[in-house]
Amino acid sequence: MFYRETGQFKTSYAADQQIFPIRQDRIGIGILLFVAFVVIPLTAGNYWFNAILIPFLIFALAALGLNILTGYAGQLSLGSAAFMAVGAYAAYNFQVRIEGMPVLLSFVLAGLTAAGVGILFGLPSLRIKGFYLAVATLAAQFFIVWCLTKFPYLSNNSSSGVISVPGVEILGFRFDSPQSRYLLVLTIVALLALAAKNMVRSTTGRAWMAVRDMDVAAEVIGIRLMRTKLLAFAVSSFYCGVAGALYAFCYLGSVEPDGFSLDLSFKILFMIIVGGVGSILGSFLGAAFILLVPIFLDIALPWFSELLHLPFDGATVSHIQLMVFGALIMFFLIVEPHGLARLWQIGKEKLRLWPFPH
Amino acid sequence: MARQIGDVILDLRNISLSFGGVKALTDISFDVREHEIRAIIGPNGAGKSSMLNVINGVYRPQQGEIIFRGQHRRDMDTHEAAAAGFARTFQNIALFKGMTVLDNLMTGRNLKMRCNFLQHALWWGPAKREELEHRRKVEEIIDFLEIEHIRKTPVGRLPYGLQKRVELGRALAAEPQILLLDEPMAGMNVEEKQDMCRFILDVNDQLGTTIVLIEHDMGVVMDISDRVVVLDYGRKIGDGVPDEVKNNPEVIAAYLGTQH
Ligand SMILES: Nc1ncnc2c1ncn2[C@@H]1O[C@H](COP(=O)(O)OP(=O)(O)OP(=O)(O)O)[C@@H](O)[C@H]1O
Ligand SMILES: [Mg+2]
């Protein structure tokens, strides 16, 4: 099958403004959704749900949140994990403190709480940029984790801030099986990804990108910098907050403040660097990549060690993982700053010309 | 030309602006009439760009008064200026480099759009309707500027001359009443300059847009502008129709003294 838009003339601007203007792309995304919603739930085993698919979706959502802030609005943040923590703890508190609170509503409220905290820590962005802003968000990272450890109220007086979340139940249905939790997470992530795509292709997203690319010019054409930047912080933190709530409720079941450390923030940052800064698709590709590389190395390295007759112990394996990671990050920063999403696009452009190379 | 030059809509009185010790503008007064093409000329560093920056609020003058459509103010607020109908281009192109031509132009219309981010997130309904409506307007500008072939290209990849044209397009997208152009033809070849002249004249003629223009090419300035202000070292040394200014001894001295 040829991949090209030839013969698919757009007869209206409406047709041109679709998310996937090329028919093959629409078919592709249809197949992808079918696989994700129907084939995988019918075929995948528990290991896949628990260890790969659910964390992949949750991290993709967090990466998407960071991408809105950093990739689209150009505000570098090292606090994504802290905003996830706010979401996780907020959802927990809403659940345990308010009798009969619907779990979905507590996810939404968790997102809103994170958005509020995000706006607060976004205020410095009105005065400072780039590296200095990153340092300010670093303060958010440490301050929030410190608060969650320091104030027992936030974890309902559990020791050292560890919380064990109640099971998820919606309209009497209990989401106990990994498969059902996967479907719940998938639905939420798919809807939020669609909303993000819609935002970035309309005035909201263009204002973010305008502020990112040239803030003086943005101001001169009437974009309000403060409102635009704070909205980016709010929406981004909302996404990270919901991701955090899902992380606690649908993935781990029990979390502690230290689980949302700077390491995790960096991991999410790496996801968007590898996947593609300023790309929705890139957030997913990056999350998949960063999660799968260690798993792949876990399997591949012992195999290599046998092949080469070199004894690799556990420590060596984790060292090699770190080295491979570092090398990949450097590769993407230097060679392809737009990440996997850009490589995918280049691939598609090549395919459009195939089989004629010019 | 069919257009009628109207009354004064923008009156600048005794504007002074300095940066630390550097006096960029000293006690400058001049006015702009509706529908006219008003040029600001002067040697390098004369304060021309600073003047534009004062007009739309990027810089705040230490002294002076700006009267726009009868309203007196000490200085402009950038956002207010945009809302009041000022649009501009910059001497060093200030496009949104990572965005496509189409998106740059659409961004130029942001003040005309009413939907909020929640409606955008939902897309279907008001947001989509609004997007389409403005897309139609933007396509008219794309046609007018003859840039159909590059509408989906990120502007960072375009050659300089085309970027200048896109920047004009972004300013036009706002449907401004006053267009401030800072050296729109700098660095262009003869053909590109001719195109740009044509666009500027057409905008002025067909839409009635008032234009304040900074330009170094004297041929162009004398050809297209109705009245010219001459600045030198932050002072006004001449003001009038092109012929008057051309024969002003102080202006000739300023130009002979510094360059040409
Ligand atoms: N933001 C600023 N900070 C400090 N000094 C400035 C600033 N902007 C302008 N100046 C100074 O003000 C004076 C006038 O500069 P301006 O850019 O207005 O000149 P110009 O007439 O546009 O020159 P050119 O033809 O080179 O564009 C110069 O001495 C310049 O150094
Ligand atoms: Mg200048």
Side-chain angles (χ1 to χ4, degrees):
Chain A
M1 187 171 70
F2 290 111
Y3 176 82
R4 70 187 50 146
E5 75 267 50
T6 327
Q8 300 180 26
F9 295 108
K10 306 293 175 301
T11 50
S12 71
Y13 298 135
D16 192 40
Q17 277 170 340
Q18 294 175 79
I19 298 182
F20 301 104
I22 297 178
R23 190 189 304 129
Q24 285 85 340
D25 277 342
R26 284 200 294 280
I27 296 171
I29 198 74
I31 292 172
L32 188 68
L33 288 175
F34 181 76
V35 169
F37 277 96
V38 181
V39 178
I40 287 179
L42 290 177
T43 55
N46 283 357
Y47 170 78
W48 271 85
F49 287 124
N50 286 329
I52 296 174
L53 293 165
I54 293 177
F56 156 68
L57 289 168
I58 292 171
F59 281 119
L61 186 62
L64 187 53
L66 180 62
N67 225 333
I68 286 173
L69 184 63
T70 302
Y72 286 94
Q75 313 296 306
L76 185 54
S77 163
L78 295 176
S80 329
F83 296 122
M84 284 179 74
V86 172
Y89 278 77
Y92 169 74
N93 277 292
F94 284 119
Q95 275 291 295
V96 297
R97 288 177 197 281
I98 301 174
E99 196 60 43
M101 168 66 88
V103 74
L104 284 181
L105 182 59
S106 67
F107 288 172
V108 174
L109 290 174
L112 292 176
T113 310
V117 176
I119 289 176
L120 204 65
F121 283 100
L123 287 174
S125 72
L126 307 180
R127 303 304 294 271
I128 54 178
K129 291 183 193 175
F131 176 70
Y132 297 97
L133 179 63
V135 173
T137 59
L138 203 55
Q141 171 67 48
F142 287 117
F143 180 73
I144 289 169
V145 171
W146 176 80
C147 278
L148 293 173
T149 322
K150 182 79 185 165
F151 300 106
Y153 175 84
L154 296 173
S155 49
N156 207 16
N157 302 313
S158 63
S159 66
S160 65
V162 181
I163 53 170
S164 292
V165 301
V168 177
E169 189 180 320
I170 297 171
L171 299 173
F173 181 81
R174 294 191 57 82
F175 287 79
D176 286 334
S177 73
Q179 188 186 31
S180 64
R181 280 185 284 117
Y182 162 80
L183 277 170
L184 177 67
V185 173
L186 177 66
T187 309
I188 293 173
V189 172
L191 288 176
L192 284 176
L194 179 63
K197 180 71 197 173
N198 286 339
M199 274 187 278
V200 301
R201 65 177 169 148
S202 47
T203 316
T204 298
R206 285 191 296 260
W208 286 338
M209 291 185 274
V211 168
R212 171 195 71 190
D213 285 354
M214 182 73 68
D215 52 359
V216 178
E219 219 176 352
V220 161
I221 61 175
I223 291 170
R224 291 189 190 266
L225 295 188
M226 180 169 88
R227 195 189 283 176
T228 307
K229 284 183 186 177
L230 292 185
L231 180 64
F233 269 96
V235 173
S236 160
S237 308
F238 180 91
Y239 277 68
C240 288
V242 173
L246 294 175
Y247 191 68
F249 280 74
C250 297
Y251 176 42
L252 292 179
S254 145
V255 291
E256 57 177 336
D258 286 340
F260 299 98
S261 63
L262 184 60
D263 275 3
L264 185 59
S265 283
F266 269 117
K267 202 167 169 183
I268 298 167
L269 183 62
F270 291 158
M271 287 176 186
I272 72 169
I273 291 174
V274 170
V277 174
S279 158
I280 305 276
L281 172 69
S283 313
F284 286 85
L285 296 178
F289 197 81
I290 298 284
L291 281 178
L292 289 179
V293 164
I295 294 173
F296 172 77
L297 290 179
D298 268 347
I299 299 166
L301 285 178
W303 186 77
F304 263 115
S305 76
E306 227 165 86
L307 195 76
L308 301 174
H309 301 292
L310 290 171
F312 285 174
D313 56 17
T316 317
V317 168
S318 66
H319 287 153
I320 292 178
Q321 281 191 6
L322 276 176
M323 280 158 55
V324 171
F325 254 85
L328 282 169
I329 303 291
M330 283 196 287
F331 169 82
F332 278 104
L333 280 175
I334 295 166
V335 180
E336 189 45 80
H338 294 286
L340 290 169
R342 178 88 190 109
L343 293 180
W344 167 250
Q345 209 183 344
I346 293 174
K348 284 207 304 190
E349 266 160 36
K350 290 254 159 68
L351 198 58
R352 238 161 70 191
L353 300 177
W354 187 87
F356 313 105
H358 294 294
Chain B
M1 256 183 257
R3 80 211 158 88
Q4 280 279 311
I5 291 182
D7 296 331
V8 171
I9 54 167
L10 178 68
D11 194 1
L12 299 143
R13 291 191 190 159
N14 311 103
I15 303 281
S16 293
L17 171 78
S18 54
F19 298 99
V22 182
K23 286 199 146 196
L25 298 170
T26 312
D27 198 28
I28 297 204
S29 303
F30 71 97
D31 60 30
V32 179
R33 292 173 174 279
E34 194 153 21
H35 309 310
E36 81 173 333
I37 298 184
R38 186 70 149 129
I40 302 177
I41 63 169
N44 291 104
K48 305 179 297 294
S49 298
S50 301
M51 195 66 234
L52 281 201
N53 282 326
V54 166
I55 293 178
N56 80 329
V58 179
Y59 292 164
R60 292 172 189 276
Q62 278 82 18
Q63 272 169 42
E65 194 181 14
I66 300 171
I67 303 159
F68 178 60
R69 290 199 182 283
Q71 281 196 3
H72 293 245
R73 31 187 133 205
R74 174 62 202 290
D75 48 29
M76 280 287 201
D77 170 86
T78 354
H79 184 265
E80 248 180 82
F86 287 86
R88 73 174 285 185
T89 65
F90 292 82
Q91 184 167 354
N92 313 308
I93 301 171
L95 284 167
F96 309 126
K97 291 240 157 49
M99 298 162 68
T100 62
V101 170
L102 186 60
D103 277 342
N104 268 274
L105 267 61
M106 290 293 281
T107 313
R109 292 187 72 76
N110 77 92
L111 279 177
K112 301 203 174 301
M113 303 207 173
R114 293 278 158 267
C115 288
N116 61 37
F117 77 100
L118 287 176
Q119 289 170 310
H120 291 147
L122 283 177
W123 181 255
W124 285 274
K128 186 178 177 188
R129 255 198 316 277
E130 187 175 65
E131 187 83 4
L132 278 178
E133 187 186 306
H134 289 277
R135 171 77 188 267
R136 241 169 252 129
K137 283 279 183 195
V138 162
E139 288 291 341
E140 282 172 21
I141 294 165
I142 289 178
D143 279 352
F144 169 69
L145 294 175
E146 296 154 19
I147 47 177
E148 297 90 342
H149 56 297
I150 51 166
R151 51 158 95 70
K152 295 282 175 75
T153 313
V155 292
R157 287 198 219 154
L158 296 174
Y160 185 80
L162 274 179
Q163 290 198 13
K164 283 256 171 199
R165 204 185 282 195
V166 173
E167 205 188 13
L168 174 66
R170 186 181 66 189
L172 289 177
E175 299 179 40
Q177 298 184 16
I178 300 194
L179 191 54
L180 312 171
L181 304 176
D182 197 343
E183 306 199 13
M185 285 162 252
M188 286 186 165
N189 64 33
V190 177
E191 201 179 327
E192 289 172 324
K193 275 189 187 181
Q194 279 173 353
D195 281 339
M196 191 51 99
C197 272
R198 181 163 54 85
F199 294 136
I200 292 172
L201 287 171
D202 280 353
V203 168
N204 177 249
D205 192 35
Q206 290 166 21
L207 306 174
T209 312
T210 308
I211 292 170
V212 180
L213 162 96
I214 296 173
E215 187 46 57
H216 275 297
D217 186 322
M218 281 310 134
V220 169
V221 170
M222 297 303 160
D223 258 8
I224 70 172
S225 46
D226 296 301
R227 290 191 300 156
V228 184
V229 180
V230 194
L231 303 184
D232 189 23
Y233 290 113
R235 295 175 184 279
K236 185 168 100 167
I237 56 168
D239 189 352
V241 296
D243 279 336
E244 245 175 278
V245 165
K246 237 187 306 194
N247 300 318
N248 178 333
E250 224 181 318
V251 175
I252 296 169
Y255 269 85
L256 290 178
T258 52
Q259 50 173 216
H260 302 302

